[in-house]
Amino acid sequence: MLWWLLALSVLVGWLLWRSIQQGGGQQSEDDSRLLQQDTADEHQQELRLLRAELAELRSGVIGVGQRVLELEAQLQHQQQQLAEQADQLQAVQLIEPESKIYSRAMKMVQLGADLEEIMRECELPRAEAELLFNLHQQKS
């Protein structure tokens, strides 16, 4: 009978040990599921943050793009105005090439050039050179 008692206690011990092992395995699986859920939640939160940052960057890029388009339009307008002014200047220079000569002659008189030098450099007739010389010499 002692033998049966010993065998029975070994069997109960083994069954108890087995149930603990299986219960611990279940708890380990539960822990693993909880850990996976926590990790998934963390990934979802990080994904939401990244999406928000991406949306912010997109709006910034759109703003910069609009500003670039505005600046390009301004630049094109200014280039057009510059081309128009260059055409007007060229037209004025073609219409009045003599005014350039007279301006140069006046400047030479102001700088102290003599009558002969003005006639030679500006290719003016003596009468015109004398007139400019007398007019602008008095102002100086």
Side-chain angles (χ1 to χ4, degrees):
M1 180 110 168
L2 189 58
W3 185 83
W4 278 97
L5 206 57
L6 185 62
L8 185 60
S9 62
V10 168
L11 181 63
V12 169
W14 181 78
L15 287 173
L16 193 60
W17 176 79
R18 179 96 170 142
S19 72
I20 290 173
Q21 286 296 325
Q22 288 177 351
Q26 177 109 16
Q27 186 177 6
S28 175
E29 288 176 18
D30 289 344
D31 289 346
S32 176
R33 282 190 203 121
L34 286 174
L35 182 62
Q36 287 176 351
Q37 184 64 37
D38 288 345
T39 304
D41 290 344
E42 289 174 6
H43 288 297
Q44 288 295 327
Q45 179 67 21
E46 186 175 345
L47 184 60
R48 281 190 292 275
L49 289 173
L50 289 173
R51 284 183 177 157
E53 286 180 22
L54 181 60
E56 189 175 322
L57 287 173
R58 281 182 182 162
S59 66
V61 167
I62 290 171
V64 169
Q66 289 173 342
R67 182 67 179 141
V68 167
L69 290 175
E70 290 171 6
L71 290 173
E72 283 179 346
Q74 287 178 358
L75 178 63
Q76 186 177 10
H77 180 71
Q78 289 177 352
Q79 286 175 336
Q80 185 179 7
Q81 284 180 335
L82 183 62
E84 290 172 2
Q85 289 174 352
D87 290 344
Q88 290 173 354
L89 180 61
Q90 187 176 11
V92 167
Q93 288 174 345
L94 289 175
I95 292 172
E96 299 180 20
E98 292 176 0
S99 66
K100 202 173 178 183
I101 293 171
Y102 292 124
S103 296
R104 183 173 176 210
M106 289 185 292
K107 188 71 169 173
M108 288 177 70
V109 170
Q110 291 170 353
L111 293 174
D114 65 358
L115 184 63
E116 296 300 322
E117 187 179 0
I118 294 171
M119 287 173 39
R120 184 178 60 247
E121 292 295 322
C122 297
E123 299 177 1
L124 290 175
R126 179 173 285 280
E128 290 181 14
E130 286 176 352
L131 179 63
L132 280 171
F133 192 80
N134 290 332
L135 286 172
H136 294 286
Q137 191 177 26
Q138 291 172 359
K139 290 181 182 178
S140 300

